[in-house]
C-alpha cells in the first residue's frame, strides 16, 4: 500500500500542504518514496507542563510542531528519523492517559492520545514503519536512547544531594545523562555525549564521575533505582525557553 502511494498525486499534495503549514522556516519534506501515513494532535509532556502538538507520521520520519493555527500554520518543526525510534507504552495514571514513550538517541519524550483507540493506531503505525525501514536496511533495532527528563514539577529539591531546595534564585537544571532535576552545584560539569550534541553538555556530578571512570557509557542512559518517578510524568525540554538548562 505504501509503495503504491509513494508516487501518487494525492500523496504529493498532502505533503505539500504540510510543508506549506510550516512555511519557510520548515525543512522540505517532499522526497521520492516518502509517504504521509497519518496526522493528528497529541499531548506532549514538556519540561513544565503538557502541551498540544501537531504530529505527522511519514513512512520514514516523524514530524511535529507547535500549533499556531490548527490545520493552517505550525512552527518549531522537529524531524525524527523513524529508523532510530523505539516506543514503549505508558500506564494510565491521573489525568494523563493513553500515552507512550518515543525514544531516540538524541531525545526521548512522552505523548498522549485522546483515546485508547488513537493510541493503539499511532503505536501500531509507528511500529510498522520502523519495522519496514529496518527490514529494508538490514539494520538491528536501535538500543540506545537519550534519558527522558523528569519534569520540573516532580522535584522540589535536588534529586542528587537531596538538600538544596529550588527557588527563583536556586534554579532547576537537568542532567543530560540521567534526566534528573538537579541543583547548580550538583551539575557544574559537562561531558561529551556524542549522540546528543557535538559539544559537552551539562551532567550531574554522579554521572560525570561514572562517565569519567568508564563505569558508564557515553551512549547508553542510566536508569537509577534511587528514584522511581511516575512513568506518566516524563518529559523533554525542546519547547521551553530555558531549555539550555
Amino acid at each position: 500500500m505504501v509503495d503504491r502511494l509513494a508516487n501518487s498525486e494525492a500523496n504529493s499534495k498532502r505533503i505539500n500542504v504540510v510543508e506549506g503549514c510550516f512555511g519557510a522556516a520548515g525543512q522540505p519534506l517532499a522526497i521520492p518514496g516518502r509517504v504521509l501515513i497519518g496526522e493528528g494532535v497529541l499531548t506532549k509532556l514538556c519540561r513544565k507542563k503538557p502541551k498540544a502538538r501537531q504530529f505527522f507520521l511519514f513512512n520514514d520520519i516523524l514530524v511535529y510542531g507547535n500549533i499556531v493555527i490548527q490545520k493552517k500554520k505550525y512552527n518549531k518543526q522537529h524531524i525524527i528519523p523513524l529508523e532510530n525510534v523505539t516506543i514503549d507504552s505508558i500506564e494510565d495514571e491521573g489525568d494523563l492517559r493513553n500515552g507512550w514513550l518515543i525514544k531516540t538517541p538524541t531525545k526521548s519524550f512522552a505523548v498522549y492520545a485522546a483515546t485508547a483507540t488513537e493510541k493503539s493506531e499511532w503505536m501500531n503505525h509507528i511500529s510498522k514503519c520502523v519495522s519496514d525501514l529496518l527490514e529494508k536496511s538490514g539494520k538491528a533495532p536501535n538500543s540506545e536512547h537519550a534519558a527522558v527528563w523528569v519534569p520540573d514539577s516532580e522535584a522540589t529539591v535536588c534529586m542528587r544531594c537531596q538538600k538544596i531546595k529550588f527557588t527563583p534564585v536556586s534554579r532547576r537544571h537537568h542532567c543530560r545523562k540521567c534526566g534528573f532535576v538537579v541543583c547548580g552545584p550538583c551539575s557544574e560539569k559537562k561531558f561529551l555525549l556524542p549522540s546528543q550534541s557535538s559539544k559537552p553538555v551539562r551532567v550531574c556530578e554522579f554521572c560525570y564521575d561514572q562517565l569519567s571512570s568508564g563505569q558508564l557509557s557515553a551512549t547508553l542512559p542510566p536508569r537509577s533505582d534511587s528514584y522511581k518517578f511516575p512513568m506518566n510524568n516524563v518529559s523533554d525540554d525542546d519547547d521551553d525557553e530555558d531549555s539550555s538548562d
Side-chain angles (χ1 to χ4, degrees):
M1 178 59 128
V2 170
D3 290 336
R4 291 203 303 271
L5 289 172
N7 298 312
S8 72
E9 184 177 349
N11 178 63
S12 297
K13 286 182 178 179
R14 292 177 69 197
I15 294 178
N16 288 336
V17 168
V18 176
E19 283 188 344
C21 287
F22 279 104
Q27 295 294 315
L29 298 173
I31 64 170
R34 178 169 288 165
V35 175
L36 178 57
I37 305 296
E39 62 182 271
V41 177
L42 297 174
T43 298
K44 178 172 174 290
L45 200 60
C46 302
R47 175 176 176 175
K48 295 188 180 298
K49 62 181 180 180
K51 300 177 183 178
R53 296 288 181 256
Q54 183 72 26
F55 281 77
F56 300 92
L57 177 63
F58 295 83
N59 59 330
D60 62 333
I61 58 174
L62 182 65
V63 178
Y64 69 92
N66 295 8
I67 301 170
V68 180
I69 304 174
Q70 183 62 47
K71 295 186 179 299
K72 291 185 178 180
K73 185 176 181 181
Y74 311 109
N75 63 14
K76 295 188 178 180
Q77 184 190 70
H78 297 267
I79 299 177
I80 302 173
L82 285 179
E83 198 173 62
N84 298 327
V85 167
T86 56
I87 57 176
D88 289 322
S89 180
I90 302 173
E91 292 185 8
D92 293 343
E93 186 177 337
D95 294 332
L96 293 175
R97 307 175 67 84
N98 310 312
W100 67 97
L101 291 177
I102 296 175
K103 302 186 295 186
T104 79
T106 55
K107 70 188 307 178
S108 303
F109 55 91
V111 292
Y112 297 84
T115 67
T117 300
E118 284 187 28
K119 170 186 175 177
S120 177
E121 290 177 349
W122 271 102
M123 291 190 72
N124 287 339
H125 284 306
I126 292 173
S127 295
K128 180 65 165 60
C129 289
V130 173
S131 177
D132 289 346
L133 284 170
L134 294 177
E135 185 178 348
K136 288 180 180 179
S137 67
K139 295 181 180 178
N142 180 56
S143 60
E144 300 177 4
H145 63 85
V148 186
W149 285 24
V150 176
D152 287 1
S153 59
E154 287 297 308
T156 57
V157 299
C158 175
M159 295 174 68
R160 284 303 183 193
C161 69
Q162 301 287 323
K163 296 177 181 178
I164 295 182
K165 292 184 178 181
F166 296 121
T167 67
V169 176
S170 180
R171 297 180 57 205
R172 293 171 172 83
H173 303 278
H174 277 83
C175 172
R176 298 312 198 265
K177 188 59 182 174
C178 66
F180 278 15
V181 185
V182 291
C183 64
C186 283
S187 60
E188 292 179 335
K189 297 176 180 177
K190 294 185 177 183
F191 200 90
L192 180 63
L193 304 178
S195 64
Q196 295 189 40
S197 175
S198 59
K199 299 179 180 179
V201 292
R202 182 189 293 270
V203 294
C204 67
E205 200 166 304
F206 174 83
C207 287
Y208 181 85
D209 291 342
Q210 295 286 303
L211 288 163
S212 298
S213 65
Q215 297 180 54
L216 197 60
S217 167
T219 56
L220 290 172
R223 265 293 152 241
S224 173
D225 292 330
S226 63
Y227 178 75
K228 299 292 187 180
F229 56 87
M231 286 305 292
N232 70 320
N233 279 332
V234 287
S235 68
D236 82 321
D237 66 312
D238 67 327
D239 299 328
D240 294 293
E241 293 179 1
D242 53 349
S243 62
S244 60
D245 291 326

